[in-house]
Amino acid sequence: MCQPEAVSNPRSVASTTPPVCVLGLGLIGGSLLRAAVRAGRKGWGYNRSDATAAAAREDGFDASTDLRAVLGRAEAESALIVIAVPMPAVDATLDAIAEYAPSCPITDVVSVKAAVLEAVSAHGMSPKYVGGHPMAGTSASGWTVGSVNLFREAVWVVDTRHDVDPHIWRQVAQLALDCGAVVVPAEPVEHDSVVARISHLPHLLAETLAVTGDAGGPLALGLAAGSFRDGTRVAGSSPTLVRAMCEGNRDALLVALDEALALLTATRASLDAEASVADLVDAGHAARGRYDEQTHWEIVGIEPGSDDWAKRLQDAGRRGGRIRRL
């Protein structure tokens, strides 16, 4: 990205880094609050759990279980609100924002984007919303497992739909960069289609592998080593969070599941008839090689708000472009 244009009012530059109000202090939201504060941002958070809010305060962060007060402060200070709750809780969170912080810009870190946009639109908030999705995490959950470095060099998708507000887009992108991530611009539906393949389907495959291995009994689990451990790592994630993620992206995940099932069915037929799994193994090896060899380049020279800026950023993101500075 090119440097911000010169302006006569210095507050217009400062407004790209407003205070941050994080709603939900689990692994992602908690790590975001930590990273934003370390970067020099003013930030505070909300969590409905007394224990979580207390743990955050014990670690030196401003956290509360009083959603009304947290959002009232966000409204008063024109904070960027970050929705960091599971998809089933998004509607109730938007209800609260509409009541107590109606003028604030909004982003989120939910793993699906079209469903969140639909909910935001139903509340009449889409002009103030720019979605986000940091592609980072672990199989653990909760404030205590958060890390200030969770997003370092991670990809952070920023919603770049055609009618997005360029000023709010810049705020959200700057937050991602301040947290140590690199920004990939993408349109919500295309984002959901892609993450169904590289994030949500792997969760279901990991669950399948874990169940299949467990069915072998203690001997199977006693012999399990690296391939089983690595392949089932995300099966250790919270079932509630995995369900929210996968079920929230139902349509795109069904497409990816059908493709995976077709590959496995064809491989089973080949193994049965020809004692061969060569087609799948060779294709998988080649696909992994393309992943390992992929290259990325820095997107520069596309200014938010310029002609066709969102479309141009989307195209750059599809071709491997990443934003490292504004």
Side-chain angles (χ1 to χ4, degrees):
M1 299 288 293
C2 59
Q3 296 296 319
E5 297 174 357
V7 290
S8 57
N9 180 3
R11 288 190 63 190
S12 65
V13 173
S15 65
T16 63
T17 55
V20 178
C21 172
V22 184
L23 306 181
L25 298 176
L27 170 65
I28 302 299
S31 296
L32 190 156
L33 181 60
R34 289 176 171 94
V37 170
R38 182 181 64 178
R41 305 281 289 256
K42 183 178 183 181
W44 60 91
Y46 159 83
N47 204 88
R48 67 177 184 175
S49 163
D50 289 330
T52 295
R57 289 193 298 271
E58 288 173 6
D59 287 342
F61 293 89
D62 190 343
S64 172
T65 57
D66 188 339
L67 182 57
R68 179 175 182 173
V70 165
L71 288 175
R73 181 180 176 186
E75 180 75 4
E77 299 191 31
S78 300
L80 173 61
I81 295 175
V82 182
I83 299 173
V85 300
M87 187 64 216
V90 167
D91 269 320
T93 303
L94 290 171
D95 286 340
I97 295 172
E99 183 171 1
Y100 302 119
S103 67
C104 287
I106 305 166
T107 187
D108 74 292
V109 290
V110 181
S111 66
V112 292
K113 297 275 68 76
V116 176
L117 177 59
E118 182 179 353
V120 168
S121 299
H123 284 77
M125 296 177 172
S126 59
K128 301 192 298 292
Y129 168 74
V130 175
H133 180 202
M135 304 297 295
T138 71
S139 59
S141 60
W143 168 267
T144 58
V145 295
S147 169
V148 70
N149 295 314
L150 183 67
F151 309 112
R152 185 168 298 279
E153 289 300 309
V155 167
W156 194 308
V157 179
V158 177
D159 167 12
T160 315
R161 64 189 192 276
H162 70 91
D163 59 348
V164 74
D165 183 311
H167 176 66
I168 299 175
W169 189 95
R170 183 182 284 277
Q171 289 187 21
V172 174
Q174 188 61 59
L175 174 61
L177 295 173
D178 286 348
C179 288
V182 297
V183 170
V184 172
E187 187 274 336
V189 173
E190 188 172 21
H191 162 275
D192 289 357
S193 176
V194 169
V195 297
R197 297 171 180 275
I198 54 84
S199 178
H200 304 163
L201 178 62
H203 273 275
L204 296 187
L205 294 177
E207 313 287 2
T208 302
L209 180 57
V211 171
T212 303
D214 182 62
L219 178 59
L221 297 181
L223 296 179
S227 59
F228 183 81
R229 181 183 62 249
D230 295 345
T232 60
R233 180 184 64 82
V234 294
S237 304
S238 163
T240 300
L241 295 179
V242 174
R243 283 194 59 189
M245 176 173 59
C246 292
E247 293 167 5
N249 200 20
R250 173 182 177 272
D251 292 344
L253 183 52
L254 283 171
V255 174
L257 264 173
D258 284 344
E259 291 185 17
L261 289 170
L263 286 171
L264 289 172
T265 300
T267 302
R268 187 198 184 284
S270 176
L271 181 61
D272 182 38
E274 304 170 20
S276 174
V277 295
D279 288 348
L280 180 60
V281 171
D282 291 347
H285 181 77
R288 173 66 196 209
R290 288 189 290 274
Y291 169 75
D292 291 334
E293 295 168 4
Q294 65 179 331
T295 58
H296 303 286
W297 49 278
E298 185 176 358
I299 301 172
V300 295
I302 303 176
E303 187 69 22
S306 62
D307 290 344
D308 294 325
W309 70 276
K311 182 178 180 180
R312 288 187 288 146
L313 281 179
Q314 286 176 26
D315 181 63
R318 292 186 191 104
R319 294 184 289 110
R322 297 179 173 184
I323 298 167
R324 292 186 173 273
R325 57 191 172 91
L326 291 176

